[in-house]
Amino acid sequence: MTVIAFSETRRRVPVALGACLLSFAAFWVAQRAAQVSMIDLMVYRAEGATVRAGGDLYALRTTAAHLPSTYPPFAALLFVPLTLLDVTGMRTLATAGNLALLLVFVGLSMRLVGHARVEHVLWVAAAAVWCEPVWTTVRYGQVNLLLAVLVLWDLSRRPAERPDRWAGVGVGLAAAVKLTPALFAVFLLASGLAARLAGRDGGPWLRHARGAAAVFAGATLLAAAVLPYDSWRFWTGMVFRTGRVGRAEETANQALRGVLARLLHTPDPGALWAAAAALTAVLGLAVAVTAELRGRRAWAVAACAVTALLISPVSWSHHWVWCVPVVLLLWTRGHRTVAAGTLLVFCSYALWWVPHGNGRPELHQGAVALTLSALYTATGVLFLVLARTSLPRPGPGQAVTNE
C-alpha cells in the first residue's frame, strides 16, 4: 500500500507542477499584454538611487505620478541594489521573484493550516496568482508577498511554546520595512501578558515579542547611522502624516478609513475613523490573543493580519494578499461556503468596477458603488466575527499547542 501511495504521489506532483507553471506563464503573458507599469518598483529604484546620491529621501517625487517615498529609511537601504539593474531586467526579476514568493507564501499558509502537501501548494498557487491582491502586487512590483512571507515564516516555524533564537526576526524585519506588520509584535506581547494574567507561562510569547522588537530596533538604528537626516525626518514627522501615502477615499484603499471617507463623502473622516480603528484594534487583537492562548495559531495569525489591514490608515487592495491564508483557513476548518464567498470577493475585481481616478468620484458614490468599494473591508470584519465564534471554549488545564 505504501508503494502504491508513493506512486500516486509521484504522478500527482508533476501534474500539479505543470498546471502551476502553465498558470504562471499565462499570468506573465497577461501582465505583459496589460503593459503593467510596475510603478511602485520604479519608486523603490528611485529611493535606492537617492540613497546612493546622498539626496533628500522624503523630498523625492518620481514617476509620471510624482509619487513620494513613504516607507521607513531602512527600506530605502534595501532598495539600493535595484539601481544596479536596468529597468527591463529589474521588472523581469521582480515578476519572477514575486511568483517564487507566492509559492513560498502558499506553502507557509498551507503549513499554518496543517495541509502542506506539495501538490496542494502547487494547485493553490496556480489559482491564487489570479486573485486581485496578488495580480495588483505583481502589477505594481510591490513588496507585499515578501513581507507576508517574513511574518508567516516567523510565526509558522515552531509551536508557540518553543521559540528559538530566530523567533522575531521575520516580524521585526517586516516591520522595519513597512510599519503595519508591527501589529504582530503587539499581538505576541499581548499574548504573553494575557497568559501571565491567567496564571500561565507567558515567557515564550514575551521572548518572541522581544526578539521582534530587537530586530526592528537594530534595523532602524542601522538606517539611522547611514541616513541620519532622513531617519530624523521620518520618525519625527513623516510617520504621523497619514496623507503622505495617498488620498483616504481612493477606491483602492480597503481600510476602515477608506470606507468611512467614501461613506461620509469626505477626504478626512477624522475622529470617527480614529475611534473605529481603536475599537477594531482592541477587538481584533482580543480575537487573535484568545485564539493563540487556546492553541489556534492559524486563527490567531489570520485575525491579527486582518486587524492590521483594517486599522491601517491606508490598506491598498494589494495589501490584502493575506486573503490567501484566510481562504485556506476557512476551507480547511469546514467553513467552505464562507471560504468560497471570500474567494469570490478577492477574485471578482469588483472594487475596480466603480468610478475612480481623476476628479475624485469616490467622494460621490451611491449605494451600489459604496458596497462594491467596501467588499474587502466588510469581508475582513465578518472574518473576525466568524473567527471569534469558531474558537473552542477553554477547558480546565487546556494545553497551548500549535494547531
Side-chain angles (χ1 to χ4, degrees):
M1 294 296 292
T2 302
V3 174
I4 294 174
F6 179 71
S7 178
E8 289 179 352
T9 300
R10 289 185 64 184
R11 288 196 299 270
R12 289 196 298 265
V13 171
V15 172
L17 177 60
C20 184
L21 291 176
L22 182 62
S23 179
F24 281 12
F27 176 88
W28 195 302
V29 171
Q31 288 260 319
R32 292 298 172 268
Q35 297 181 332
V36 295
S37 63
M38 292 197 167
I39 191 169
D40 288 345
L41 183 64
M42 300 304 296
V43 175
Y44 301 158
R45 190 174 192 268
E47 290 182 24
T50 301
V51 170
R52 288 187 63 183
D56 186 341
L57 187 60
Y58 296 104
L60 173 69
R61 295 296 182 272
T62 187
T63 74
H66 302 288
L67 295 178
S69 175
T70 61
Y71 294 175
F74 178 70
L77 293 182
L78 301 183
F79 297 148
V80 169
L82 296 177
T83 63
L84 305 177
L85 302 170
D86 63 86
V87 172
T88 300
M90 179 183 65
R91 287 175 170 171
T92 300
L93 185 61
T95 301
N98 266 320
L99 293 177
L101 284 168
L102 177 62
L103 277 171
V104 177
F105 183 48
V106 171
L108 291 171
S109 300
M110 297 290 281
R111 183 167 74 180
L112 184 70
V113 302
H115 292 267
R117 293 175 60 173
V118 173
E119 65 269 27
H120 292 166
V121 171
L122 292 169
W123 281 113
V124 171
V129 74
W130 296 99
C131 72
E132 190 275 336
V134 175
W135 169 277
T136 310
T137 287
V138 183
R139 170 191 173 189
Y140 292 151
Q142 261 284 344
V143 295
N144 305 305
L145 287 169
L146 174 61
L147 302 184
V149 162
L150 284 171
V151 171
L152 268 190
W153 170 81
D154 198 346
L155 295 175
S156 67
R157 289 183 311 112
R158 296 169 64 85
E161 69 272 17
R162 295 203 306 274
D164 59 16
R165 63 180 179 176
W166 296 101
V169 170
V171 171
L173 284 175
V177 172
K178 198 170 185 177
L179 295 178
T180 307
L183 192 68
F184 286 97
V186 177
F187 150 70
L188 291 167
L189 175 63
S191 297
L193 295 176
R196 284 192 171 179
L197 287 174
R200 294 158 57 180
D201 179 18
W205 291 284
L206 296 177
R207 286 194 296 273
H208 203 153
R210 283 198 300 268
V215 171
F216 172 81
T220 301
L221 289 173
L222 172 63
V226 178
L227 303 170
Y229 172 75
D230 293 319
S231 294
W232 175 260
R233 188 173 179 192
F234 180 84
W235 293 109
T236 60
M238 299 299 296
V239 69
F240 303 110
R241 299 178 187 174
T242 56
R244 75 187 192 281
V245 181
R247 293 195 294 265
E249 76 276 6
E250 290 188 41
T251 295
N253 184 10
Q254 291 296 300
L256 286 170
R257 183 166 173 257
V259 172
L260 288 173
R262 294 188 291 271
L263 180 64
L264 300 175
H265 308 298
T266 175
D268 183 12
L272 181 60
W273 165 70
L279 179 62
T280 302
V282 171
L283 297 178
L285 279 175
V287 172
V289 169
T290 301
E292 179 72 5
L293 296 185
R294 294 183 187 176
R296 299 299 188 264
R297 169 58 66 90
W299 285 104
V301 171
C304 186
V306 169
T307 300
L309 291 166
L310 290 174
I311 68 174
S312 175
V314 173
S315 289
W316 301 127
S317 68
H318 49 79
H319 295 168
W320 285 81
V321 291
W322 285 95
C323 68
V324 174
V326 166
V327 170
L328 289 171
L329 176 62
L330 292 170
W331 184 267
T332 57
R333 298 306 184 267
H335 303 286
R336 297 198 168 183
T337 301
V338 179
T342 303
L343 181 63
L344 178 61
V345 165
F346 288 102
C347 289
S348 67
Y349 294 69
L351 73 160
W352 299 115
W353 300 354
V354 304
H356 59 277
N358 296 330
R360 307 178 79 170
E362 294 96 335
L363 291 175
H364 309 285
Q365 289 182 347
V368 174
L370 284 169
T371 301
L372 292 176
S373 62
L375 283 177
Y376 290 12
T377 308
T379 301
V381 171
L382 291 175
F383 171 77
L384 290 179
V385 173
L386 178 61
R388 181 63 185 88
T389 59
S390 297
L391 296 178
R393 293 185 178 277
Q398 181 182 6
V400 179
T401 57
N402 198 22
E403 191 177 31

